[in-house]
Amino acid sequence: MTPLSAVPLLTLVGLGLYAHGFPQLAECIEILLSELIILIILSQHFLQHRVHTVTNLQVPKSVAVLTNLQVPKSGLISGAAWISFPYPWQYGTPSAEGAGDAFVMIAAALVALIEVDFFSSISVFILEADRITLDSNAMGENVGLLALTRSGSQRVVQISAGFMLFFAIFGKFGAVLASIPLLIFGAVYCILFAYMASAGIGLLQFCNLNKLRTKFVVAYSIFMGLSITQYFYGYIVTSGRGPVHTNAHWFNTIVEIIFTSPATVAVVIAVFLDSTIRSSRTDSGIFDNGRHWWERFRDFERHPMSREFYYLPSGLTKYFPSV
């Protein structure tokens, strides 16, 4: 994996989720558009420009709008237990009808690995042998939160994991979070997934864009990642099934899972092209695909920018060190 082949992956992890952005926000645009504007102001202009309160802003009283934001009155909070300890197979033992279902789950896990936690998984299987401390994540929400909060400390992740355990055990508190309307996240997704796409575009600075090879690998993989998945989606919508028709239903499902993921299709094509099309190298050791740039960031102590990036404000780094 090089910066060149990572560009389509990171870009389409963000752009591939465009259906969860403004379309979800538009279901309650009167309120969520204001939320989106506030998020942009806080993330881009906070501490740089003063935020003035608009006094004549009125909350819409449309019944349809308010209905979209209502919490379902299904006894979610009242029915939750105060203390509950999760345990394996709490909701029943897993079942599979033949080996085909197992392969379907493997394909789904592979796509989830690529879209959600590609770099961390690769670092575990490949880089651990060299005792390298590489920890990066391709999940859209995580990358967006890094850019939004300007904090990338691993201690933040550990504290968040503690909160996750807390909400899992104390059911009442977890039910309060679960009762938040899903539409509220529409405006947040517009920011987080945009940051995700920008992370992929930013890797182009380490590639030689003067070479036709670089531009072809990036453009072709992104285009095919969107085009192939659109074909599969369109075929499924119009015919009710995927374009692959065999007697093995599990095989048809595997093909649909893989080829309806823009990031998966794009990264497979990008890695294949980047590995097969010859890359040139300058006398100073610089590769067109930016492979030389990875070496400086594969170890936390190897580059001085690592501590600057994971620095916590107000002297909190002293109490919550990055490593």
Side-chain angles (χ1 to χ4, degrees):
M1 174 67 70
T2 64
L4 178 60
S5 55
V7 170
L9 168 64
L10 299 179
T11 302
L12 287 190
V13 166
L15 297 183
L17 298 172
Y18 63 90
H20 300 280
F22 195 84
Q24 184 171 321
L25 180 148
E27 295 185 20
C28 186
I29 195 170
E30 294 89 344
I31 296 178
L32 299 185
L33 185 59
S34 302
E35 178 189 353
L36 177 60
I37 295 174
I38 293 175
L39 285 174
I40 294 175
I41 293 175
L42 293 179
S43 62
Q44 303 299 326
H45 302 283
F46 188 64
L47 298 180
Q48 299 176 4
H49 302 280
R50 292 186 177 181
V51 180
H52 298 278
T53 304
V54 181
T55 58
N56 59 350
L57 180 62
Q58 297 180 354
V59 178
K61 298 181 179 180
S62 172
V63 176
V65 171
L66 296 179
T67 301
N68 289 335
L69 290 179
Q70 282 182 350
V71 178
K73 299 179 180 180
S74 57
L76 181 62
I77 299 177
S78 60
W82 278 104
I83 300 178
S84 176
F85 292 94
Y87 55 88
W89 299 341
Q90 180 176 357
Y91 303 102
T93 57
S95 61
E97 298 179 359
D101 290 344
F103 287 112
V104 171
M105 291 301 299
I106 293 175
L110 175 64
V111 172
L113 180 148
I114 293 176
E115 290 189 345
V116 176
D117 206 8
F118 183 82
F119 287 115
S120 294
S121 302
I122 292 298
S123 66
V124 170
F125 289 106
I126 299 179
L127 301 179
E128 184 64 22
D130 297 330
R131 310 184 76 85
I132 297 172
T133 58
L134 173 64
D135 186 15
S136 55
N137 199 310
M139 187 172 181
E141 291 88 343
N142 290 351
V143 175
L145 287 174
L146 285 175
L148 191 63
T149 61
R150 305 295 195 275
S151 176
S153 175
Q154 295 179 356
R155 289 292 182 266
V156 176
V157 179
Q158 294 173 359
I159 295 174
S160 301
F163 276 109
M164 293 176 65
L165 293 175
F166 174 83
F167 290 123
I169 296 175
F170 298 94
K172 292 291 185 182
F173 298 96
V176 172
L177 292 182
S179 63
I180 298 176
L182 184 61
L183 294 179
I184 295 295
F185 296 97
V188 179
Y189 286 160
C190 292
I191 301 294
L192 300 186
F193 295 151
Y195 273 128
M196 183 72 241
S198 68
I201 297 174
L203 291 177
L204 288 174
Q205 63 182 309
F206 307 106
C207 306
N208 187 0
L209 292 177
N210 294 322
K211 294 290 186 178
L212 180 61
R213 174 188 183 277
T214 302
K215 292 183 284 189
F216 174 76
V217 171
V218 173
Y220 181 78
S221 57
I222 291 179
F223 176 81
M224 294 303 293
L226 295 173
S227 183
I228 292 178
T229 54
Q230 179 60 36
Y231 167 73
F232 272 78
Y233 277 125
Y235 198 102
I236 293 174
V237 170
T238 56
S239 63
R241 60 180 183 177
V244 179
H245 307 148
T246 64
N247 294 328
H249 177 71
W250 59 270
F251 179 78
N252 302 339
T253 305
I254 289 177
V255 174
E256 294 175 14
I257 291 175
I258 295 177
F259 288 96
T260 52
S261 171
T264 303
V265 176
V267 73
V268 170
I269 296 176
V271 171
F272 175 77
L273 294 178
D274 191 27
S275 302
T276 55
I277 303 178
R278 184 177 179 181
S279 175
S280 60
R281 180 180 181 181
T282 62
D283 297 334
S284 58
I286 298 178
F287 291 88
D288 291 339
N289 56 14
R291 187 173 64 186
H292 59 281
W293 181 74
W294 275 161
E295 302 298 330
R296 298 181 297 171
F297 297 94
R298 298 180 73 179
D299 194 337
F300 182 86
E301 300 291 346
R302 193 168 180 178
H303 198 276
M305 290 183 61
S306 298
R307 295 192 177 276
E308 178 182 355
F309 179 77
Y310 288 101
Y311 175 78
L312 290 176
S314 303
L316 294 177
T317 305
K318 178 181 179 181
Y319 305 98
F320 302 99
S322 302
V323 292

